Amino acid sequence: MSAQWKSAGDIKMKTARKTYKFLVATTVAALASIQAEAKQGSTVDTAIVLAVDNSIAVTAEEQVAQINAHVAALRSSAFVNRALSNDRCLGLHYLEWSGTGHAKTILPWTVICSAKQAADAAASIEAAAGSGQTASGKAAASPIDALEFAHEAMRTMPFAAKHKIINLSTVYPKEKTQWPSETHDAYVREGYTINAVAFVPDKAGMTRAATTYLKQHVIAGKGAFAVTSPNLDLYPKLLLQSMLMATGERTDRRVPFRSKDLGGL
């Protein structure tokens, strides 16, 4: 009799232990899910606005090159590994700008915490970017216009971000256009880092002049950098490098770009 009761007791104890383990596992899973949702909805490590030139100065070939470069960067394992390392999430907003008062949101604020989400964002950009705007509908623009649009996008960000980055892509930046020093200083005080990637043909010193202009009058903040591509073949590699630098470790100095850094990308 006692053996039978012992056996029954053992069965009850084992059942209780299994139930306890199940409840613990379920609770842990639920907490992880809640934490993931909170993480995606409240705070990201880096919020980045990709502001892409679609002004009247941009040819169809240059427009396609910019779109394809951004899409390829988001799909690359190098970018995913850098931006999402250590369980980090990225906030992403993609817009096209073409002049004062002319901008179009291609991808509204999206939280990216996985390679699949990065690929989904790339697909959305690929499907919508550059569409529905003829040359006659474009306007003359400068990087200063783009920064105003990007700043407005940052103001509508639906989550908090530890780091706020504006990555500007432009073609033939107007070197005579400068933004008011008080606006520049305000962006820095608000914690923005403004980077620039430009395509400027290497003719009559245009590439060097454009790089100097971007460094002196456009980029700002901790770790800011300017990169200028003399041809469309190099542009995708420079764009990827800029994305890797933008989502990497923060520094208090401007980061020099070196062509040897492109090895292996």
Side-chain angles (χ1 to χ4, degrees):
M1 179 67 71
S2 60
Q4 292 178 351
W5 279 109
K6 183 177 180 181
S7 178
D10 288 344
I11 292 173
K12 289 182 179 180
M13 181 63 71
K14 290 180 180 179
T15 302
R17 286 174 177 172
K18 288 181 179 180
T19 301
Y20 174 76
K21 290 180 180 180
F22 173 77
L23 290 174
V24 170
T26 303
T27 302
V28 170
L31 286 173
S33 177
I34 291 172
Q35 289 172 348
E37 290 178 4
K39 184 177 183 180
Q40 292 194 33
S42 60
T43 303
V44 295
D45 181 80
T46 301
I48 182 168
V49 174
L50 301 177
V52 181
D53 192 348
N54 191 26
S55 66
I56 199 168
V58 181
T59 67
E61 182 183 15
E62 292 164 351
Q63 182 184 49
V64 170
Q66 289 185 98
I67 296 169
N68 289 346
H70 283 85
V71 168
L74 288 171
R75 288 172 173 164
S76 73
S77 58
F79 172 74
V80 170
N81 292 337
R82 174 69 66 88
L84 307 181
S85 63
N86 298 320
D87 198 32
R88 294 186 298 166
C89 289
L90 173 76
L92 182 69
H93 184 99
Y94 185 106
L95 64 85
E96 291 179 337
W97 54 277
S98 61
T100 304
H102 294 79
K104 179 182 179 182
T105 296
I106 302 301
L107 181 72
W109 281 112
T110 301
V111 175
I112 298 174
C113 298
S114 67
K116 181 182 184 306
Q117 290 174 331
D120 289 344
S124 296
I125 293 170
E126 188 174 40
S131 62
Q133 183 139 26
T134 62
S136 60
K138 297 182 179 181
S142 79
I144 308 308
D145 298 316
L147 294 178
E148 295 294 339
F149 297 130
H151 184 232
E152 184 59 32
M154 281 291 188
R155 289 167 61 88
T156 64
M157 185 170 56
F159 38 73
K162 297 178 183 177
H163 310 289
K164 294 176 286 187
I165 310 291
I166 295 174
N167 254 30
L168 172 70
S169 177
T170 185
V171 175
Y172 311 112
K174 288 188 175 182
E175 298 168 24
K176 295 182 179 180
T177 307
Q178 300 179 18
W179 58 347
S181 59
E182 60 270 20
T183 304
H184 181 280
D185 294 342
Y187 282 21
V188 173
R189 285 196 303 271
E190 291 180 39
Y192 292 98
T193 297
I194 301 170
N195 307 314
V197 183
F199 165 67
V200 183
D202 194 15
K203 299 177 181 178
M206 289 174 61
T207 302
R208 182 182 295 273
T211 303
T212 299
Y213 161 71
L214 293 172
K215 287 182 177 180
Q216 293 181 350
H217 302 295
V218 176
I219 67 174
K222 296 179 180 179
F225 58 85
V227 180
T228 307
S229 173
N231 58 68
L232 290 180
D233 291 336
L234 183 60
Y235 178 83
K237 291 183 178 180
L238 292 179
L239 191 282
L240 174 58
Q241 181 70 8
S242 77
M243 296 279 281
L244 295 177
M245 293 167 71
T247 55
E249 294 296 327
R250 305 274 80 81
T251 66
D252 291 332
R253 61 182 177 82
R254 291 185 176 179
V255 181
F257 176 81
R258 301 168 299 179
S259 59
K260 66 180 182 180
D261 292 337
L262 293 173
L265 294 182

